[in-house]
Amino acid sequence: MNKLLKIFTFKLLLLFLISPLFASGGFGGGGVGQIPQGQDREKFHLGKSVYNLEIELLALDKAKEAEQGERLDYLQGSLPNSEKRRVNLQDLAGKLTKEQLDALEYFISVRFNVKLDKK
């Protein structure tokens, strides 16, 4: 019985030692895009400020609301599920300048590593 226990223990130890050799590797995931340098850096940070509601928004402009609503709806759909629950980009419709909306699109494309269709 003692010999059988030693064999079993040896096989178990051997299994633990060689099992990492057959691992499939780490999770690749989407990851976070790299923060750009130069001129795009300003655009990235403006988009980040808009996304995190760290800037003062314009008063609601009914003329811009429909167009911005469509673009923001598309951006909302491109976010990861965890972010979709955290932010509601539709609330920004009609309250952004063209520069802010472009920067927001840029930020989302870089931060969440998604390819957005060209307008």
Side-chain angles (χ1 to χ4, degrees), residues 55-114:
I55 62 169
E56 193 169 323
L57 301 174
L58 300 174
L60 179 65
D61 183 354
K62 292 285 186 183
K64 294 180 183 178
E65 189 174 19
E67 179 199 343
Q68 288 184 1
E70 287 179 28
R71 288 174 69 182
L72 291 168
D73 188 45
Y74 179 76
L75 289 176
Q76 183 78 31
S78 67
L79 293 174
N81 288 334
S82 59
E83 289 296 310
K84 286 179 185 175
R85 290 187 292 270
R86 192 177 79 80
V87 296
N88 184 6
L89 299 177
Q90 283 294 322
D91 292 345
L92 304 176
K95 300 176 184 176
L96 301 174
T97 65
K98 180 174 176 10
E99 180 186 25
Q100 289 171 336
L101 185 54
D102 290 342
L104 178 63
E105 287 179 336
Y106 182 72
F107 168 75
I108 289 173
S109 70
V110 172
R111 169 61 179 85
F112 299 108
N113 201 19
V114 294

Side-chain angles (χ1 to χ4, degrees), residues 41-53:
R41 189 175 185 85
E42 290 178 25
K43 188 175 184 180
F44 178 86
H45 286 293
L46 175 60
K48 181 178 178 183
S49 296
V50 172
Y51 183 82
N52 292 320
L53 301 176

Side-chain angles (χ1 to χ4, degrees), residues 3-20:
K3 186 175 182 177
L4 189 59
L5 184 60
K6 285 182 181 179
I7 292 172
F8 176 74
T9 305
F10 177 74
K11 286 184 177 182
L12 191 61
L13 179 62
L14 188 61
L15 178 68
F16 283 122
L17 291 176
I18 66 168
S19 63

